Amino acid sequence: MLHNNQILKALIDRLWNNFWSGGISNPLTAIEQITYLIFMKQMDDLEAKREREAESLGEVYTSKFDGMFKVPGSEEEISKQDLRWATFTSSMSGEALLHHVQTKVFPFLKEFEGGFKFTKAMASAVFIMPKPSLLEEAIKIIEEIFIEIKKDAIEGGHAFQDIQGDVYEMLLGEIASAGKNGQFRTPRHIIKLMIDLLQPQLGQRIVDPACGTAGFLLGAYQYILTDLVKKDNPEALQPDEDGFMRATVSATLNENLKHIVEESLYGYDIDTTMVRLGLMNLMMHGINQPNIDYKDTLSKSYNEDSQYDLVLANPPFTGNIDKGDINESLKLVTTKTELLFIERIYTMLKMGGTAAIVIPQGVLFGSGKAFVECRKIMVEKSELKAVISMPSGVFKPYAGVSTAILIFTKGSESSNVWFYDMQNDGYTLDDKRNKIEKSDLLDIVQKYHNRNSAPSIDNQRTVNFFTISKQEIVDNNYDLSFSKYQEQVYEEVEYEEPKVIFEKLETIEANIIKGINELKELF
């Protein structure tokens, strides 16, 4: 939707450039500060809406901005009305504005009694704004962005909530230098692929144990919305830029359905910044009370076993963690997070629950004991449904590591495993990641869902997808790499007889000598 609005795109670029030129060059720091400003505006807008609704109904409403606020670290008390976005952005400027926001508005935001889970995540937040001009320009651009969102909603017939969500997703898309501790944003089209493979349903409990900016939870939310629209108004569906059918009607959810969806989505992360960004991402898309919390799902403090119908994740590949921090319920003898997360995801699933996770391809064939035991969990204790290998450029510019998607259902054992070797994800595989026509994504979805009804192609392992029996995988030490089972096709090349080759070389040599002699005669 947003790709059609060049004005919004230009404003977002301006906002980012404002922070970079203003001295905040770290994209993660910049998006945090932008998020705090957006939350300040959201608080005021939401309260203003509630006040208008109460007035139109003739009801009494006590605003969260009524009363006085004691400024931390001082004896000063000020009216909460002075902490509203509409008030301070119109009445202050320069150093006075920066001081007011930094010492009064931001502390109030951290204690805001609006029922927001975002407020809880603000405990350790810090407001960093090096100069007044940066704050003034940021406020101006954010105001312009929301004016354009309203205009687009009216003229373009789009829901305000959906455009607002798209804007925040685009802001998050600028975090191209992330990657510390193995964290980087999963490309949106890969998330949509994994969501379409699992097909989440309304009422299912869905979790991401390392949720980052909540891309998987948002993807599940949008798929569920699409599924609801498909049943009532299928003509409203349109393919997006990657070919996936998606509806953009989050604002039309009735309160009952919204409550069901909100109580279905859960996310955890060990980075408080990511928790805040994930919360805001879902809030901007219409989920008022997201269930995202600060928690290390590999640690001793996490014990939510057998709670979820679906797990969607791209856990960080950080290498190793402290052995003493690992939850005792995890039995794999390893400190490698990519292996521990697979076991953790297995334990989080209800019996019959399904997971789709991204893993580094080394997990597919590693010969160490922990690697083999990890694969056994998916093959012997679960039904390993699919192994989808992805090209190494999928996660550029963040990382060039080769990855794969694993899909497994807890409970029954595997009988056959479906393999697919993705060649194209719809984008160039260099750092630029430009859109291209070739894409295997929809083909993967279609072939995966038809894998049991389609004729067996076990004897056609020269193509980019095939089915392998569990027994063959066991016989190969649970190796899950595509290349292990693919049959290589070798083209026969005929070479000339050595005698003929030597004759040709002699002719070439004679011509070279002749040419040299002719050159000598010129001097």
Side-chain angles (χ1 to χ4, degrees):
M1 183 189 302
L2 188 57
H3 63 274
N4 294 323
N5 192 320
Q6 296 303 314
I7 296 175
L8 274 173
K9 290 178 73 173
L11 286 169
I12 290 168
D13 287 341
R14 254 181 67 200
L15 186 58
W16 274 106
N17 290 332
N18 177 55
F19 274 84
W20 290 331
S21 61
I24 300 180
S25 57
N26 184 327
L28 216 49
T29 304
I31 188 63
E32 268 196 290
Q33 303 308 307
I34 292 169
T35 297
Y36 301 152
L37 292 173
I38 289 174
F39 188 49
M40 292 174 195
K41 178 166 176 55
Q42 291 285 82
M43 286 195 306
D44 191 11
D45 287 352
L46 183 59
E47 284 302 295
K49 179 184 177 183
R50 288 171 175 168
E51 288 165 354
R52 288 193 303 270
E53 289 174 348
E55 185 178 358
S56 66
L57 295 172
E59 297 176 352
V60 177
Y61 176 71
T62 303
S63 170
K64 301 297 187 296
F65 288 103
D66 286 350
M68 304 296 288
F69 176 70
K70 186 176 182 299
V71 179
S74 74
E75 296 301 316
E76 182 184 4
E77 282 193 340
I78 63 171
S79 168
K80 290 181 181 178
Q81 292 294 327
D82 293 335
L83 304 174
R84 302 186 79 139
W85 174 275
T87 303
F88 66 77
T89 58
S90 61
S91 62
M92 294 184 177
S93 61
E95 289 286 355
L97 173 65
L98 178 57
H99 180 76
H100 182 74
V101 172
Q102 210 158 32
T103 62
K104 298 170 184 176
V105 179
F106 190 68
F108 173 67
L109 178 148
K110 295 173 73 169
E111 300 175 9
F112 186 64
E113 297 176 0
F116 288 108
K117 294 184 180 179
F118 186 82
T119 307
K120 177 184 174 185
M122 290 291 292
S124 62
V126 179
F127 190 71
I128 302 170
M129 203 66 65
K131 51 189 178 182
S133 59
L134 175 57
L135 177 59
E136 286 183 312
E137 184 63 18
I139 287 172
K140 179 183 175 184
I141 298 170
I142 288 172
E143 287 281 12
E144 289 180 40
I145 285 173
F146 276 87
I147 289 170
E148 184 59 32
I149 290 174
K150 290 175 183 176
K151 181 181 176 183
D152 194 311
I154 295 169
E155 296 178 0
H158 302 128
F160 179 91
Q161 198 80 66
D162 295 320
I163 308 167
Q164 177 181 265
D166 283 354
V167 166
Y168 196 73
E169 274 285 290
M170 193 167 183
L171 284 165
L172 291 176
E174 295 291 330
I175 313 176
S177 65
K180 63 172 185 172
N181 300 326
Q183 293 174 340
F184 44 82
R185 294 185 78 234
T186 309
R188 303 300 96 172
H189 59 290
I190 299 301
I191 288 176
K192 286 182 283 190
L193 167 66
M194 294 168 67
I195 296 289
D196 272 46
L197 292 171
L198 257 58
Q199 298 179 325
Q201 300 297 303
L202 183 68
Q204 288 185 316
R205 284 173 61 88
I206 304 165
V207 70
D208 183 344
C211 67
T213 60
F216 281 109
L217 300 179
L218 176 60
Y221 172 62
Q222 291 172 331
Y223 183 92
I224 291 169
L225 288 178
T226 301
D227 203 41
L228 292 173
V229 172
K230 188 190 301 181
K231 294 169 183 174
D232 296 331
N233 187 21
E235 59 272 13
L237 299 180
Q238 296 291 331
D240 64 15
E241 65 274 15
D242 297 304
F244 293 96
M245 301 302 287
R246 289 294 183 269
T248 54
V249 289
S250 61
T252 64
L253 270 181
N254 64 50
E255 287 303 313
N256 183 47
L257 288 176
K258 183 176 284 190
H259 177 73
I260 293 171
V261 174
E262 286 185 353
E263 290 304 309
S264 299
L265 305 173
Y266 296 82
Y268 304 102
D269 205 280
I270 60 171
D271 188 322
T272 53
T273 296
M274 290 298 150
V275 170
R276 288 193 283 267
L277 297 184
L279 284 164
M280 181 55 72
N281 195 14
L282 294 185
M283 286 166 61
M284 292 284 278
H285 283 87
I287 301 176
N288 296 331
Q289 297 287 350
N291 296 300
I292 297 179
D293 206 352
Y294 172 78
K295 197 168 287 187
D296 183 353
T297 51
L298 296 180
S299 72
K300 291 179 169 64
S301 63
Y302 185 83
N303 294 292
E304 294 183 17
D305 292 347
S306 305
Q307 296 291 312
Y308 299 98
D309 299 291
L310 298 178
V311 179
L312 288 145
N314 176 15
F317 316 144
T318 57
N320 300 282
I321 61 172
D322 191 327
K323 189 175 181 179
D325 294 336
I326 301 172
N327 193 301
E328 296 92 340
S329 67
L330 301 177
K331 305 303 181 185
L332 287 177
V333 183
T334 182
T335 57
K336 292 185 177 296
T337 56
E338 61 265 40
L339 303 182
L340 292 169
F341 264 111
I342 290 176
E343 185 179 8
R344 166 53 72 213
I345 287 166
Y346 170 81
T347 64
M348 294 173 81
L349 286 169
K350 295 178 181 177
M351 197 63 69
T354 300
I357 60 174
V358 177
I359 49 96
Q361 284 202 20
V363 171
L364 302 178
F365 54 81
S367 58
K369 184 177 179 182
F371 282 90
V372 177
E373 291 300 317
C374 179
R375 296 195 293 269
K376 277 186 179 181
I377 291 174
M378 294 180 286
V379 176
E380 300 289 359
K381 295 183 178 181
S382 312
E383 179 190 357
L384 179 60
K385 293 182 172 179
V387 179
I388 301 166
S389 300
M390 295 190 285
S392 60
V394 166
F395 283 93
K396 285 186 176 181
Y398 308 115
V401 62
S402 294
T403 55
I405 298 169
L406 299 176
I407 302 175
F408 61 91
T409 297
K410 182 177 180 177
S412 57
E413 294 182 14
S414 305
S415 53
N416 296 303
V417 181
W418 186 73
F419 287 76
Y420 193 107
D421 185 32
M422 182 195 298
Q423 298 295 314
N424 295 289
D425 70 336
Y427 297 82
T428 58
L429 297 173
D430 54 17
D431 285 351
K432 292 183 179 179
R433 299 289 279 145
N434 294 322
K435 194 85 177 71
I436 60 174
E437 290 298 320
K438 290 184 179 180
S439 175
D440 295 331
L441 302 187
L442 297 182
D443 185 59
I444 292 171
V445 173
Q446 187 265 330
K447 285 187 169 61
Y448 171 77
H449 290 299
N450 291 330
R451 69 193 186 284
N452 294 326
S453 58
S456 174
I457 55 166
D458 284 356
N459 60 344
Q460 298 180 23
R461 297 186 189 179
T462 57
V463 294
N464 66 330
F465 64 96
F466 44 72
T467 302
I468 301 297
S469 70
K470 172 191 171 182
Q471 188 57 53
E472 186 172 351
I473 291 171
V474 173
D475 293 342
N476 282 284
N477 202 28
Y478 298 90
D479 194 314
L480 297 175
S481 54
F482 184 89
S483 59
K484 183 72 176 179
Y485 305 101
Q486 184 185 36
E487 291 182 5
Q488 301 297 326
V489 178
Y490 299 100
E491 292 185 10
E492 186 176 346
V493 179
E494 292 187 5
Y495 295 98
E496 295 176 317
E497 291 291 328
K499 181 180 178 181
V500 175
I501 294 173
F502 280 122
E503 287 175 353
K504 287 183 177 180
L505 288 173
E506 287 171 354
T507 301
I508 292 169
E509 182 182 22
N511 289 334
I512 291 172
I513 292 171
K514 180 183 176 183
I516 291 172
N517 290 334
E518 289 175 351
L519 285 172
K520 285 180 179 179
E521 290 176 3
L522 296 175
F523 297 96

